[in-house]
Amino acid sequence: LKAGLIADIEAADTLDALEALRVGAMGKSGVVTGLLKTLGPMSPEERLEKGPPIQDLRESVTAALADRKAQLEQAALDARLASEKVDMTLPADGGPQGSVHPVSQVMDELAEIFADLGFSVATGPEIEDDWHNFTALNIPETHPARAMHDTFYFPDETGSDEAAPAAEGPDQAGRKKMLLRTHTSPVQIRTMMTQAPPIRIIAPGRVYRSDSDATHTPMFHQIEGLVIDKGITLGHLKWTLETFLKAFFEREDIVLRLRPSYFPFTEPSVEVDVGYTLVNGQRIIGGDGDAAGGGWLEVLGSGMVNRRVIEACGLDPDEWQGFAFGTGVDRLAMLKYGMNDLRAFFDGDLRWLKHYGFSA
Ligand code: PHE
């Protein structure tokens, strides 16, 4: 009996099979249990004679069960370790790779181009006050740019989000109507008030207007440029814009068209168009917009800084002059990379980024 039981135990090839054998031998109605039960009613003499072989059987079977169990468990563990092995020396399969967004890309390109021209980068708050965004820029209270339609105002303490009367000067900063800046031009003011001229800065950043369609989003990006020095003329402005647009569009044949315009903070004001040529029905920047098949695209607003703005910043306009310009970064990106829906810039759709080569 003993040899047979132990042989069976040693041959059990799964933990389940082994458990079945254990129950058959040592369980409540197992063979070994049955033999042990016969010891009870025996006389002391008989028990002395038959007891030891039964006890020996019980011990041998118990030991064989434990040994086999340990072997099977070890085998299961080995198998698991082998199947779950991780080879730390294999190269990792690179996860998804991010990329620079076209807007950031264009801002970086512009910062680099203007750095070569001696401009540094200035910043200002997106939550701006009425004075810096409008008044100091010679935008009178009746100017349409102040209408609720365009500007996101913060409600004041009275709960009103009507445009409050503008504070009259920088020293009245305590009484401020707050808004989301509608352009980067307030950075002109902040720079002139904190930096001694000569000044050469660009100011890239987010701006906000209550407007939304295929070519307008409530948040978009501008880059402001400002030069304040002695003897600055419109010629400097034109050369700077030409140089920057040639570098940005990476073409020598950039043709500019300057149109007289109006901005309260520049006088005279100039709107700037670049010529494009139609190639396979696509507008490609470059060439004379008046040539056959060509046309003009407005790319920026600019002008000579209005002397009232220079004065508002505490500088003497007879001593210091300059020019300023502002351009839409999103629009420049669309023109350079041939994108046609502004809203896609802010959808975060990887397929769109990939299509224009901006995603791995
Ligand atoms: N701030 C103007 C706009 O948002 C652009 C501009 C900037 C015009 C600087 C002239 C000079 O439309």
Side-chain angles (χ1 to χ4, degrees):
L1 178 68
K2 179 175 152 184
L5 276 177
I6 289 177
D8 284 349
I9 288 168
E10 283 171 353
D13 53 4
T14 65
L15 285 166
D16 284 346
L18 187 66
E19 175 64 8
L21 287 171
R22 187 194 67 79
V23 171
M26 311 293 286
K28 251 191 191 156
S29 39
V31 242
V32 178
T33 313
L35 285 172
L36 285 166
K37 278 182 188 157
T38 62
L39 292 176
M42 283 182 191
S43 66
E45 296 76 30
E46 201 184 5
R47 194 181 299 138
L48 208 60
E49 184 204 328
K50 295 192 175 157
I54 295 177
Q55 290 297 351
D56 172 60
L57 174 68
R58 185 183 69 94
E59 277 161 27
S60 301
V61 168
T62 305
L65 282 168
D67 281 355
R68 189 62 189 153
K69 189 169 181 212
Q71 281 171 12
L72 288 173
E73 279 173 351
Q74 184 61 46
L77 184 63
D78 287 347
R80 225 181 95 194
L81 285 175
S83 72
E84 291 178 5
K85 188 163 92 180
V86 174
D87 185 347
M88 302 301 285
T89 65
L90 286 176
D93 50 344
Q97 242 192 335
S99 65
V100 174
H101 191 277
V103 169
S104 311
Q105 166 81 30
V106 166
M107 283 189 175
D108 290 350
E109 286 173 20
L110 293 174
E112 227 172 273
I113 291 168
F114 279 103
D116 286 346
L117 300 177
F119 288 66
S120 54
V121 172
T123 55
E126 288 170 32
I127 297 176
E128 190 49 283
D129 60 69
D130 199 89
W131 191 83
H132 286 91
N133 195 77
F134 292 130
T135 310
L137 287 161
N138 191 36
I139 302 179
E141 263 169 66
T142 48
H143 194 279
R146 285 200 177 205
M148 284 304 302
H149 178 76
D150 284 322
T151 308
F152 291 111
Y153 283 97
F154 288 89
D156 63 18
E157 303 86 79
T158 67
S160 157
D161 53 6
E162 289 287 305
E168 273 149 35
D171 48 359
Q172 288 201 6
R175 190 170 133 255
K176 287 186 290 196
K177 180 71 194 167
M178 304 307 287
L179 46 80
L180 292 176
R181 67 178 179 191
T182 57
H183 51 179
T184 43
S185 299
V187 185
Q188 288 186 36
I189 305 301
R190 292 187 174 274
T191 306
M192 280 189 266
M193 291 182 68
T194 54
Q195 245 169 266
I199 291 169
R200 275 196 295 257
I201 56 116
I202 55 163
R206 282 193 266 264
V207 301
Y208 302 83
R209 288 181 202 178
S210 179
D211 212 348
S212 188
D213 60 37
T215 52
H216 298 88
T217 48
M219 184 279 290
F220 58 105
H221 301 82
Q222 285 190 336
I223 273 201
E224 193 81 7
L226 174 70
V227 168
I228 298 287
D229 206 333
K230 290 180 176 167
I232 297 293
T233 71
L234 202 63
H236 295 116
L237 169 63
K238 191 181 175 210
W239 181 87
T240 304
L241 296 179
E242 227 164 49
T243 305
F244 125 64
L245 289 168
K246 280 181 181 172
F248 178 71
F249 287 109
E250 298 169 33
R251 294 180 70 120
E252 270 306 305
D253 64 343
I254 295 290
V255 183
L256 297 192
R257 184 173 75 173
L258 273 54
R259 282 181 291 110
S261 182
Y262 173 76
F263 298 103
F265 35 94
T266 48
E267 183 58 37
S269 300
V270 179
E271 255 168 338
V272 180
D273 303 333
V274 288
Y276 68 80
T277 321
L278 276 184
V279 180
N280 298 327
Q282 253 218 306
R283 292 171 171 181
I284 303 297
I285 301 293
D288 182 353
D290 284 334
W296 300 98
L297 286 168
E298 187 191 322
V299 286
L300 49 88
S302 64
M304 303 307 292
V305 180
N306 192 312
R307 31 189 307 132
R308 302 181 65 164
V309 173
I310 295 180
E311 251 163 11
C313 296
L315 297 174
D316 178 0
D318 289 325
E319 188 182 2
W320 301 105
Q321 302 83 41
F323 63 77
F325 58 87
T327 179
V329 175
D330 316 87
R331 193 169 154 70
L332 286 181
M334 289 168 80
L335 291 175
K336 180 162 178 176
Y337 298 109
M339 299 153 166
N340 48 33
D341 190 342
L342 178 62
R343 290 169 295 194
F345 275 79
F346 310 114
D347 284 346
D349 187 335
L350 286 177
R351 292 166 306 176
W352 180 81
L353 287 169
K354 205 173 196 154
H355 176 74
Y356 290 103
F358 278 94
S359 175

mmCIF file of all heavy atoms in Angstrom, residues 182-185 188 209 222 224-225 263 265-266 301-303 324-327, ligand 1:
data_model
loop_
_atom_site.group_PDB
_atom_site.id
_atom_site.type_symbol
_atom_site.label_atom_id
_atom_site.label_comp_id
_atom_site.label_asym_id
_atom_site.label_seq_id
_atom_site.Cartn_x
_atom_site.Cartn_y
_atom_site.Cartn_z
ATOM 1 N N THR A 182 -6.728 92.880 -25.740
ATOM 2 C CA THR A 182 -7.259 92.635 -27.074
ATOM 3 C C THR A 182 -6.164 92.671 -28.129
ATOM 4 O O THR A 182 -6.402 92.356 -29.283
ATOM 5 C CB THR A 182 -8.323 93.694 -27.432
ATOM 6 O OG1 THR A 182 -7.721 94.987 -27.314
ATOM 7 C CG2 THR A 182 -9.507 93.611 -26.502
ATOM 8 N N HIS A 183 -4.965 93.088 -27.717
ATOM 9 C CA HIS A 183 -3.805 93.092 -28.617
ATOM 10 C C HIS A 183 -2.541 93.112 -27.755
ATOM 11 O O HIS A 183 -2.621 93.245 -26.527
ATOM 12 C CB HIS A 183 -3.848 94.272 -29.602
ATOM 13 C CG HIS A 183 -4.080 95.626 -28.984
ATOM 14 N ND1 HIS A 183 -4.132 96.784 -29.716
ATOM 15 C CD2 HIS A 183 -4.258 96.017 -27.686
ATOM 16 C CE1 HIS A 183 -4.344 97.814 -28.915
ATOM 17 N NE2 HIS A 183 -4.419 97.372 -27.679
ATOM 18 N N THR A 184 -1.391 92.948 -28.385
ATOM 19 C CA THR A 184 -0.147 92.971 -27.614
ATOM 20 C C THR A 184 0.395 94.389 -27.457
ATOM 21 O O THR A 184 1.423 94.593 -26.812
ATOM 22 C CB THR A 184 0.930 92.073 -28.274
ATOM 23 O OG1 THR A 184 0.910 92.276 -29.689
ATOM 24 C CG2 THR A 184 0.672 90.601 -27.986
ATOM 25 N N SER A 185 -0.328 95.382 -28.006
ATOM 26 C CA SER A 185 0.169 96.759 -27.935
ATOM 27 C C SER A 185 0.373 97.295 -26.503
ATOM 28 O O SER A 185 1.259 98.145 -26.312
ATOM 29 C CB SER A 185 -0.742 97.687 -28.742
ATOM 30 O OG SER A 185 -0.742 97.291 -30.099
ATOM 31 N N GLN A 188 3.860 97.629 -25.449
ATOM 32 C CA GLN A 188 4.587 98.856 -25.831
ATOM 33 C C GLN A 188 4.650 99.808 -24.648
ATOM 34 O O GLN A 188 5.708 100.342 -24.305
ATOM 35 C CB GLN A 188 3.849 99.603 -26.954
ATOM 36 C CG GLN A 188 3.882 98.982 -28.333
ATOM 37 C CD GLN A 188 3.233 99.934 -29.346
ATOM 38 O OE1 GLN A 188 3.361 101.162 -29.247
ATOM 39 N NE2 GLN A 188 2.540 99.373 -30.323
ATOM 40 N N ARG A 209 -10.372 88.251 -28.165
ATOM 41 C CA ARG A 209 -11.479 89.062 -28.651
ATOM 42 C C ARG A 209 -12.714 88.181 -28.765
ATOM 43 O O ARG A 209 -12.610 87.003 -29.112
ATOM 44 C CB ARG A 209 -11.162 89.675 -30.022
ATOM 45 C CG ARG A 209 -10.130 90.788 -29.929
ATOM 46 C CD ARG A 209 -9.825 91.412 -31.270
ATOM 47 N NE ARG A 209 -8.519 92.066 -31.212
ATOM 48 C CZ ARG A 209 -7.923 92.678 -32.228
ATOM 49 N NH1 ARG A 209 -8.529 92.728 -33.394
ATOM 50 N NH2 ARG A 209 -6.746 93.236 -32.077
ATOM 51 N N GLN A 222 -0.487 87.230 -31.159
ATOM 52 C CA GLN A 222 0.110 88.344 -31.903
ATOM 53 C C GLN A 222 1.586 88.470 -31.556
ATOM 54 O O GLN A 222 2.050 87.947 -30.539
ATOM 55 C CB GLN A 222 -0.572 89.668 -31.519
ATOM 56 C CG GLN A 222 -1.960 89.846 -32.108
ATOM 57 C CD GLN A 222 -2.485 91.256 -31.914
ATOM 58 O OE1 GLN A 222 -2.074 91.974 -31.009
ATOM 59 N NE2 GLN A 222 -3.413 91.664 -32.783
ATOM 60 N N GLU A 224 4.078 91.830 -31.279
ATOM 61 C CA GLU A 224 4.209 93.272 -31.345
ATOM 62 C C GLU A 224 5.678 93.594 -31.560
ATOM 63 O O GLU A 224 6.547 92.868 -31.071
ATOM 64 C CB GLU A 224 3.764 93.837 -29.974
ATOM 65 C CG GLU A 224 3.534 95.317 -29.966
ATOM 66 C CD GLU A 224 2.155 95.664 -30.518
ATOM 67 O OE1 GLU A 224 1.359 94.739 -30.781
ATOM 68 O OE2 GLU A 224 1.892 96.863 -30.690
ATOM 69 N N GLY A 225 5.942 94.653 -32.281
ATOM 70 C CA GLY A 225 7.322 95.122 -32.391
ATOM 71 C C GLY A 225 7.361 96.587 -32.021
ATOM 72 O O GLY A 225 6.412 97.332 -32.291
ATOM 73 N N PHE A 263 -4.518 103.730 -37.022
ATOM 74 C CA PHE A 263 -4.534 103.186 -35.667
ATOM 75 C C PHE A 263 -4.350 104.372 -34.737
ATOM 76 O O PHE A 263 -3.531 105.254 -35.034
ATOM 77 C CB PHE A 263 -3.383 102.185 -35.436
ATOM 78 C CG PHE A 263 -3.457 100.974 -36.324
ATOM 79 C CD1 PHE A 263 -2.624 100.855 -37.433
ATOM 80 C CD2 PHE A 263 -4.357 99.940 -36.056
ATOM 81 C CE1 PHE A 263 -2.677 99.742 -38.261
ATOM 82 C CE2 PHE A 263 -4.419 98.830 -36.889
ATOM 83 C CZ PHE A 263 -3.577 98.726 -37.988
ATOM 84 N N PHE A 265 -2.816 104.666 -32.097
ATOM 85 C CA PHE A 265 -1.502 104.743 -31.426
ATOM 86 C C PHE A 265 -0.348 104.920 -32.384
ATOM 87 O O PHE A 265 0.806 104.949 -31.963
ATOM 88 C CB PHE A 265 -1.289 103.519 -30.535
ATOM 89 C CG PHE A 265 -1.888 102.248 -31.099
ATOM 90 C CD1 PHE A 265 -1.116 101.381 -31.850
ATOM 91 C CD2 PHE A 265 -3.226 101.935 -30.883
ATOM 92 C CE1 PHE A 265 -1.671 100.218 -32.381
ATOM 93 C CE2 PHE A 265 -3.789 100.779 -31.413
ATOM 94 C CZ PHE A 265 -3.013 99.922 -32.164
ATOM 95 N N THR A 266 -0.626 105.003 -33.683
ATOM 96 C CA THR A 266 0.442 105.296 -34.638
ATOM 97 C C THR A 266 0.014 106.434 -35.552
ATOM 98 O O THR A 266 -1.169 106.583 -35.866
ATOM 99 C CB THR A 266 0.799 104.064 -35.498
ATOM 100 O OG1 THR A 266 -0.402 103.490 -35.998
ATOM 101 C CG2 THR A 266 1.581 103.026 -34.706
ATOM 102 N N GLY A 301 -0.260 95.406 -39.186
ATOM 103 C CA GLY A 301 -0.544 96.823 -38.990
ATOM 104 C C GLY A 301 0.670 97.460 -38.356
ATOM 105 O O GLY A 301 1.372 96.829 -37.575
ATOM 106 N N SER A 302 0.916 98.716 -38.730
ATOM 107 C CA SER A 302 2.131 99.345 -38.206
ATOM 108 C C SER A 302 2.033 100.850 -38.349
ATOM 109 O O SER A 302 1.033 101.391 -38.831
ATOM 110 C CB SER A 302 3.351 98.836 -38.976
ATOM 111 O OG SER A 302 3.244 99.233 -40.329
ATOM 112 N N GLY A 303 3.078 101.517 -37.937
ATOM 113 C CA GLY A 303 3.127 102.961 -38.112
ATOM 114 C C GLY A 303 4.177 103.568 -37.207
ATOM 115 O O GLY A 303 4.860 102.872 -36.470
ATOM 116 N N ALA A 324 6.124 101.062 -34.582
ATOM 117 C CA ALA A 324 5.564 99.871 -33.950
ATOM 118 C C ALA A 324 4.843 99.069 -35.016
ATOM 119 O O ALA A 324 4.422 99.617 -36.040
ATOM 120 C CB ALA A 324 4.595 100.253 -32.836
ATOM 121 N N PHE A 325 4.740 97.776 -34.786
ATOM 122 C CA PHE A 325 3.938 96.949 -35.693
ATOM 123 C C PHE A 325 3.336 95.803 -34.895
ATOM 124 O O PHE A 325 3.807 95.449 -33.815
ATOM 125 C CB PHE A 325 4.781 96.411 -36.861
ATOM 126 C CG PHE A 325 5.975 95.602 -36.438
ATOM 127 C CD1 PHE A 325 5.849 94.232 -36.202
ATOM 128 C CD2 PHE A 325 7.204 96.207 -36.269
ATOM 129 C CE1 PHE A 325 6.957 93.495 -35.813
ATOM 130 C CE2 PHE A 325 8.314 95.463 -35.870
ATOM 131 C CZ PHE A 325 8.191 94.101 -35.639
ATOM 132 N N GLY A 326 2.261 95.259 -35.432
ATOM 133 C CA GLY A 326 1.623 94.120 -34.786
ATOM 134 C C GLY A 326 1.132 93.169 -35.858
ATOM 135 O O GLY A 326 0.611 93.593 -36.888
ATOM 136 N N THR A 327 1.347 91.879 -35.625
ATOM 137 C CA THR A 327 0.948 90.911 -36.636
ATOM 138 C C THR A 327 0.406 89.653 -35.957
ATOM 139 O O THR A 327 0.747 89.354 -34.827
ATOM 140 C CB THR A 327 2.128 90.594 -37.582
ATOM 141 O OG1 THR A 327 1.716 89.629 -38.535
ATOM 142 C CG2 THR A 327 3.327 90.064 -36.834
HETATM 143 N N1 PHE B 1 -2.576 96.447 -32.227
HETATM 144 C C1 PHE B 1 -2.990 96.471 -33.599
HETATM 145 C C2 PHE B 1 -4.070 95.390 -33.811
HETATM 146 O O1 PHE B 1 -4.223 94.540 -32.964
HETATM 147 C C3 PHE B 1 -1.849 96.213 -34.542
HETATM 148 C C4 PHE B 1 -0.806 97.296 -34.511
HETATM 149 C C5 PHE B 1 0.258 97.223 -33.658
HETATM 150 C C6 PHE B 1 -0.923 98.404 -35.360
HETATM 151 C C7 PHE B 1 1.240 98.205 -33.649
HETATM 152 C C8 PHE B 1 0.030 99.378 -35.345
HETATM 153 C C9 PHE B 1 1.116 99.303 -34.512
HETATM 154 O O2 PHE B 1 -4.767 95.393 -34.809
#
